[in-house]
Amino acid sequence: MSNFFKRSALGASVPHNKHTAHKETVVMPLPTKIVLSMGQHIGAPAAPVVAKGDQVYVGSVVGKAAGFVSMDIHSGVSGTVDAITTITAPNGAPQTAVVIIPDGKQTVDPAIKPPVVTDLASLQDAVRASGLVGLGGAGFPAAVKLAPKNLDEIDVLVINGAECEPYITSDNRCMQEDTDYVIKGIQTIMKYLDIPKCVIGIEANKPDDIKKLSEETKDMPIEVKALPCKYPQGAEKVLIETCTGREVPFPGLPSDVGVIVMNVTSVAFIAKYLETGIPLTTKRLTVDGDIVRNPGNVEVVIGTPIQELLDFCGGLTEEPGKILYGGPMMGTCVASAEQPILKNNNAVLALSRKLAEPVKATNCIHCGRCTNACPLGLSAKEIVRAYETKNVDLLVELNADLCMSCGTCSFVCPAKRPLAPSIALAKIMMKNGGKK
Ligand code: SF4
Ligand code: SF4
């Protein structure tokens, strides 16, 4: 556990590879189709409310939330529903999806209008209707975050602008290109949730963002904090400790220490949505990797097939060894380039066979680096040993379920042991009561 170490002092120095940091976002033309997964959030998948042949518009609801932490799914194009189909979700499970063929007109749904927000309840309703999930990667519905049970105890809004994953620069571009929306979104949340203070945490490798936001917020109760360049500064518990000095207890939530955390792109989206009423239907993504011809930041309609996005970026210079949703530390491999862009994707990386080739693992040398680097103080090697011997009681004792799959332990391991993926399997085994 982390009682004797500051989480922010742990982690690892990973290569930044922020090649696209200064590349302005370009808007990709409409794809030939969009494939809208009904599972773009952590809760129950949405239920399709359209059928083959239906006409839809920009902003039309095509999937209805099916639970408290579920979310509506909206079309980002006007066009015709071509199919209700099944695709493979990033976790390998089958997932229902709605396929829409754009008509090129981009007619906005006549029901779309900017929401009227006058108090907290109407803000929460608006954010729920917008379809917003945490855009930093987790896919947690934003409306739920804005409804903590102990609202009167919340005194700090922490904004995650860390963007600590190698390669990814989409939040960085948001802070540069949508600065006003970032600030407006923060002010809206502070106003309606009556939060007196905000801290924006940005890794120190983004001096332009730190400078710009510091200047623009100098007369506001908003502090811009430069975070150490030590992965994973963007992990919620690490970020809270670095920005506020408060340690989220185990088990516990940010609200237990008076904090709400929102991603920088999420707050910018909220401000835009309140102005336009257009739900979450597009996404800014970093497209990079050693075999992408023209890496950059691209705004795409959610549901765009990855292959069409890669083609827009000039295609690949060779057959990929691996294509990832997200960065190399926490990203997930895509099963096929036909898979669609999801709401919570912030990058697509295409890596050569040489870069993607797994390094041969050797025996553990008991150096303890994995434990020393884990921001949660977990002992990765002990957890993996408990997993290999199917010792669920020991996994519970070692708090394996707290692991956030940040990949730091695998990165620092000199024996190149796949610790983080094994711990992910250990967590599944815990859920299944001891079955692998
Ligand atoms: S993957 Fe899990 S065990 Fe490994 S460093 Fe991250 S939180 Fe710790
Ligand atoms: S870092 Fe690797 S070699 Fe060192 S103790 Fe952990 S698992 Fe073993």
Side-chain angles (χ1 to χ4, degrees):
M1 306 293 287
S2 70
N3 296 339
F4 46 93
F5 281 137
K6 267 183 89 66
R7 289 171 182 141
S8 49
L10 302 172
S13 299
V14 299
H16 298 149
N17 291 336
K18 304 280 189 183
H19 314 118
T20 57
H22 296 288
K23 290 199 169 178
E24 269 188 36
T25 310
V26 290
V27 178
M28 180 179 156
L30 291 182
T32 58
K33 65 178 177 183
I34 61 169
V35 181
L36 290 169
S37 166
M38 295 293 106
Q40 303 192 48
H41 40 261
I42 59 161
V49 290
V50 290
K52 183 175 163 67
D54 284 357
Q55 167 80 46
V56 295
Y57 303 98
V58 174
S60 298
V61 175
V62 298
K64 205 73 195 127
F68 181 58
V69 285
S70 184
M71 264 291 129
D72 288 353
I73 308 287
H74 303 83
S75 175
V77 298
S78 59
T80 309
V81 175
D82 187 52
I84 310 295
T85 187
T86 302
I87 61 168
T88 307
N91 65 2
Q95 185 58 264
T96 304
V98 174
V99 182
I100 302 167
I101 307 296
D103 59 17
K105 297 178 189 159
Q106 288 303 81
T107 313
V108 175
D109 192 305
I112 296 286
K113 53 179 191 273
V116 178
V117 170
T118 52
D119 55 15
L120 176 58
S122 51
L123 176 68
Q124 289 163 340
D125 288 347
V127 172
R128 182 169 287 284
S130 76
L132 177 65
V133 297
L135 299 183
F140 192 81
V144 178
K145 269 199 179 182
L146 296 180
K149 288 195 180 107
N150 58 339
L151 181 57
D152 52 338
E153 289 167 14
I154 305 295
D155 62 355
V156 186
L157 172 65
V158 171
I159 299 297
N160 190 350
E163 203 162 55
C164 54
E165 268 266 2
Y167 291 95
I168 307 179
T169 61
S170 51
D171 282 350
N172 158 56
R173 291 317 307 169
C174 172
M175 289 186 271
Q176 284 296 313
E177 297 170 28
D178 294 336
T179 320
D180 288 351
Y181 283 123
V182 171
I183 296 169
K184 269 190 211 161
I186 289 171
Q187 288 174 319
T188 301
I189 293 168
M190 290 175 78
K191 176 179 168 186
Y192 289 112
L193 276 78
D194 197 17
I195 302 175
K197 185 179 174 184
C198 170
V199 184
I200 308 174
I202 305 172
E203 236 185 30
N205 62 359
K206 291 179 269 297
D208 294 350
D209 299 340
I210 293 169
K211 185 166 179 279
K212 192 165 189 193
L213 277 161
S214 300
E215 282 169 7
E216 303 281 330
T217 59
K218 66 177 184 310
D219 299 322
M220 302 173 192
I222 299 174
E223 179 191 351
V224 179
K225 196 161 184 102
L227 310 175
C229 293
K230 205 115 192 256
Y231 178 86
Q233 287 299 314
E236 200 166 64
K237 292 181 172 77
V238 178
L239 183 73
I240 290 171
E241 188 191 278
T242 318
C243 289
T244 68
R246 301 174 190 177
E247 186 169 344
V248 181
F250 291 133
L253 295 169
S255 56
D256 294 334
V257 293
V259 174
I260 288 179
V261 181
M262 300 282 291
N263 173 265
V264 73
T265 299
S266 299
V267 292
F269 169 77
I270 288 174
K272 270 188 207 174
Y273 175 70
L274 296 185
E275 214 173 89
T276 64
I278 302 281
L280 183 61
T281 54
T282 62
K283 195 71 210 290
R284 177 191 281 114
L285 297 158
T286 300
V287 183
D288 202 353
D290 63 325
I291 56 170
V292 176
R293 270 208 180 81
N294 303 316
N297 281 289
V298 186
E299 187 175 319
V300 294
V301 177
I302 290 165
T304 296
I306 288 174
Q307 186 61 57
E308 294 198 34
L309 172 62
L310 292 173
D311 290 345
F312 177 70
C313 293
L316 305 180
T317 55
E318 60 179 80
E319 272 296 300
K322 196 195 268 185
I323 298 177
L324 291 173
Y325 277 131
M329 299 298 288
M330 292 191 74
T332 50
C333 280
V334 303
S336 143
E338 288 309 310
Q339 283 190 241
I341 297 303
L342 308 169
K343 287 181 183 182
N344 59 341
N345 291 154
N346 46 16
V348 167
L349 298 189
L351 305 176
S352 62
R353 288 200 173 140
K354 192 173 161 215
L355 261 193
E357 204 174 334
V359 184
K360 197 171 179 312
T362 53
N363 290 338
C364 172
I365 56 169
H366 308 290
C367 65
R369 284 185 210 177
C370 51
T371 307
N372 288 341
C374 175
L376 302 184
L378 302 176
S379 178
K381 70 162 180 150
E382 300 291 343
I383 293 172
V384 172
R385 197 185 305 156
Y387 165 67
E388 285 167 353
T389 56
K390 295 193 189 175
N391 190 338
V392 176
D393 291 342
L394 186 54
L395 286 174
V396 173
E397 206 177 296
L398 293 168
N399 294 303
D401 58 328
L402 294 177
C403 172
M404 55 189 175
S405 300
C406 70
T408 307
C409 50
S410 305
F411 179 82
V412 299
C413 176
K416 302 296 169 208
R417 301 185 66 73
L419 300 167
S422 299
I423 297 172
L425 294 173
K427 287 169 71 173
I428 294 171
M429 192 167 83
M430 287 168 87
K431 269 194 202 143
N432 295 343
K435 292 193 191 106
K436 280 197 184 185

